[in-house]
Amino acid sequence: MSLKQVVNSGDYFIIPMSDGRQAICQAVWIGKNSSGQTFKRVFAFCVLSVGNGKNIPEEVSYLSFQEYDGPFKVIFTAVDKLFSGEWPVIGSGPIVDQKMVNLEFHMAGDLYVCGEFLKVLPGEKYKDYLEMAVAGYVLVDRYLKQH
């Protein structure tokens, strides 16, 4: 039986990339910690650096990535590689961006704050909030390769 890595919001971890580099990332929201565990198989993270180093940068700031509808800083993906230790935790620290501490996102028009349902959004308000679009691991790697 394999041991599962315990991960909390604020934890730093490494994502090994297909090109041999690695990304230093910070978990900003763990879905299983939400009441009802509606999102127990998903988490959100931000990226601090992409390169050959394995150290947490002294100055914490989050990289932006580009998608068809504009730039973004938060990536949602499945928890499997994180919880299994394939993406190892290397430390913990405060989440520096208050928007990430109280992560607001919508999924199919339902607005959530830290995974807790808040309200149904009218269609014209969707663009005002981060959309939870869960990326597969190959897409995560593609995003990381933008840097």
Side-chain angles (χ1 to χ4, degrees), residues 98-143:
Q98 192 61 36
K99 289 180 185 176
M100 304 305 168
V101 172
N102 297 311
L103 187 65
E104 291 182 333
F105 62 88
H106 82 87
M107 186 183 78
D110 290 345
L111 180 63
Y112 295 87
V113 177
C114 296
E116 305 298 328
F117 175 78
L118 188 61
K119 63 182 179 180
V120 175
L121 293 171
E124 66 274 6
K125 293 289 185 182
Y126 287 14
K127 67 182 176 352
D128 297 337
Y129 295 93
L130 175 65
E131 179 181 7
M132 177 194 260
V134 180
Y137 297 129
V138 171
L139 185 54
V140 168
D141 192 65
R142 284 187 197 148
Y143 289 150

Side-chain angles (χ1 to χ4, degrees), residues 13 47 62 95 114:
F13 62 97
V47 180
Y62 303 129
I95 298 171
C114 296

Side-chain angles (χ1 to χ4, degrees), residues 12-28:
Y12 299 110
F13 62 97
I14 294 174
I15 298 179
M17 296 169 54
S18 63
D19 64 7
R21 298 178 300 152
Q22 51 270 329
I24 308 297
C25 307
Q26 186 175 39
V28 295

Side-chain angles (χ1 to χ4, degrees), residues 8-73:
N8 296 298
S9 294
D11 284 353
Y12 299 110
F13 62 97
I14 294 174
I15 298 179
M17 296 169 54
S18 63
D19 64 7
R21 298 178 300 152
Q22 51 270 329
I24 308 297
C25 307
Q26 186 175 39
V28 295
W29 173 72
I30 309 292
K32 73 175 183 68
N33 295 339
S34 303
S35 64
Q37 296 197 1
T38 303
F39 305 105
K40 66 184 178 183
R41 306 292 304 154
V42 178
F43 81 107
F45 69 94
C46 294
V47 180
L48 285 72
S49 67
V50 173
N52 295 316
K54 292 187 178 185
N55 296 323
I56 300 164
E58 287 185 32
E59 180 92 17
V60 173
S61 64
Y62 303 129
L63 299 179
S64 285
F65 299 91
Q66 191 65 39
E67 181 70 2
Y68 67 92
D69 60 350
F72 64 96
K73 290 185 179 182

